[in-house]
Amino acid sequence: MKLKTILVALAATACITANAFAQAPIVIKFSHVVATDTPKGQAAARFKQLAERATNGRVKVEVYPNSQLYKDKEELEALQLGAVQMLAPSLAKFGPLGVKEFEVFDLPYAFPNKQALYNVTEGPIGKSLLKKLETKGITGLAYWDNGFKIMSANKPLYTPTDFRGLKMRIQSSKVLDAQMRALGANPQVLAFSEVYQALQTGVVDGTENPPSNMYTQKMHEVQKYATLSNHGYLGYAVIVNKKFWDGLPADIRTALEGAMREATTYEKAIAQRDNDMALDAMKKSGRTQFVTLTAQQQTAWKNALLPVHKQMQSRIGADLVNAIAKESAK
């Protein structure tokens, strides 16, 4: 009789414990490497708000900005291991992971404007690229935007010859490596969190970034010149650990997909605004002198950089490079 009482008590305790676990929120750790006031940082915060509201608190999103948890070289491995559940890495990060097709977004002058870009990311090409991540244990949810990049250095960059011998920081990307070499520069791969100090101490001479990244990381304080080249694009893919995502209840997954759609619309709306504001703020600071290229100078940049497209076809795939060019021309 005493044993039966003990077993009943244990069963009741187990039931209470199980209910407590069932009611505990699902935690999504969302790690990224940029500041909270960048387009990505603001969109991550918006997703947190939307996701928690859409799931009535059944999901808790913890956002970790500014490389608080992982540097950009480490975060993808952390996601694959399940140490974090969500990231928004730049598209260049997927090449070193083995999905080289994403490096098509790094090709210089690949997208003449935002609409050409959206023709790709929101169409069949963009969806098929996200699908390729599944073999790496990753589910792609959305593309986020950070606009076009400008070049900065401690000397004015008017023509390709001005790059000769400069040590230019890049992300780990074979395309970006080829881009800098085509300009006569020496590419240096560095984690994003290390760039300011590297510029400050002269470890590198310059870099490329959208204005919002340059401003929020205070790179304009250690770069005397910047050229409004708009030569390349910087975007992100919001991704989740596939095993985690597939294991979520269907209604939770549906609610999170809706929250992500809303957050993505918001992110695209603020990206250009924030870059414009950042550029204006840097100009007003007087720390950096901005160079606007003449039509002739812009042509010289394109002539120097467009051969990179052909050079990279064997790595990225000629069909994909040509398909991107076709979509961008619409």
Side-chain angles (χ1 to χ4, degrees):
M1 189 69 179
K2 193 175 287 187
L3 178 61
K4 184 177 179 182
T5 303
I6 292 170
L7 290 174
V8 169
L10 286 172
T13 302
C15 185
I16 292 168
T17 304
N19 287 336
F21 277 114
Q23 292 167 6
I26 298 165
V27 175
I28 296 177
K29 290 184 179 179
F30 189 163
S31 172
H32 66 80
V33 301
V34 298
T36 55
D37 51 352
T38 58
K40 187 202 294 190
Q42 293 175 75
R46 178 60 66 96
F47 172 72
K48 168 183 169 64
Q49 178 188 49
L50 293 167
E52 291 176 354
R53 183 194 304 160
T55 60
N56 294 314
R58 291 170 63 195
V59 169
K60 181 183 179 185
V61 180
E62 298 176 352
V63 181
Y64 298 91
N66 261 332
S67 305
Q68 285 179 8
L69 292 184
Y70 301 100
K71 294 182 180 180
D72 46 8
K73 291 179 182 178
E74 307 160 345
E75 61 178 10
L76 278 169
E77 184 180 3
L79 182 91
Q80 289 175 303
L81 293 172
V84 294
Q85 289 72 44
M86 186 174 286
L87 304 174
S90 58
L91 299 170
K93 296 296 188 299
F94 300 121
L97 191 67
V99 191
K100 299 172 185 176
E101 292 88 343
F102 274 91
E103 290 183 354
V104 75
F105 290 102
D106 292 337
L107 290 172
Y109 296 109
F111 305 101
N113 51 54
K114 285 286 183 69
Q115 189 52 56
L117 169 72
Y118 296 153
N119 288 343
V120 172
T121 56
E122 296 175 5
I125 295 175
K127 290 182 176 65
S128 67
L129 287 173
L130 290 180
K131 194 77 176 169
K132 291 180 183 292
L133 295 173
E134 293 183 2
T135 60
K136 305 297 180 182
I138 294 168
T139 296
L141 298 181
Y143 290 94
W144 284 0
D145 184 24
N146 201 9
F148 295 103
K149 295 181 285 188
I150 62 178
M151 291 281 195
S152 67
N154 282 324
K155 61 175 284 190
L157 303 171
Y158 293 103
T159 68
T161 56
D162 293 326
F163 283 85
R164 286 180 186 166
L166 292 183
K167 295 173 289 183
M168 297 293 288
R169 180 267 172 178
I170 61 166
Q171 300 185 71
S172 181
S173 163
K174 294 296 183 184
V175 175
L176 296 180
D177 184 278
Q179 169 191 277
M180 291 302 184
R181 293 184 190 282
L183 292 169
N186 299 316
Q188 308 286 318
V189 176
L190 281 176
F192 185 70
S193 59
E194 299 169 6
V195 178
Y196 176 88
Q197 186 175 8
L199 292 169
Q200 185 182 43
T201 57
V203 171
V204 293
D205 300 307
T207 186
E208 57 172 9
N209 263 300
S212 63
N213 277 6
M214 185 177 177
Y215 179 61
T216 56
Q217 295 294 319
K218 300 183 179 180
M219 295 179 197
H220 65 293
E221 296 181 359
V222 289
Q223 293 280 264
K224 293 179 181 177
Y225 296 91
T227 300
L228 304 176
S229 50
N230 295 325
H231 62 282
Y233 170 71
L234 179 63
Y236 313 107
V238 186
I239 58 175
V240 289
N241 176 286
K242 187 176 187 299
K243 185 177 180 181
F244 167 80
W245 187 253
D246 291 346
L248 291 174
D251 63 324
I252 291 287
R253 204 162 47 239
T254 299
L256 292 176
E257 286 169 347
M260 183 55 66
R261 281 193 297 272
E262 285 191 57
T264 299
T265 300
Y266 168 78
E267 195 278 339
K268 288 179 178 178
I270 66 170
Q272 189 61 53
R273 180 203 71 188
D274 282 13
N275 276 302
D276 290 343
M277 289 171 59
L279 184 58
D280 186 55
M282 288 190 289
K283 286 179 178 178
K284 286 179 178 175
S285 77
R287 299 287 191 93
T288 301
Q289 183 177 327
F290 288 86
V291 173
T292 300
L293 298 175
T294 65
Q296 187 176 6
Q297 289 166 341
Q298 191 86 63
T299 298
W301 281 56
K302 288 181 178 178
N303 288 342
L305 290 173
L306 286 177
V308 174
H309 289 228
K310 189 171 184 180
Q311 184 184 343
M312 288 291 113
Q313 282 187 359
S314 59
R315 178 177 175 83
I316 299 170
D319 289 346
L320 178 58
V321 173
N322 292 331
I324 294 279
K326 185 177 178 180
E327 283 296 321
S328 295
K330 287 183 178 177

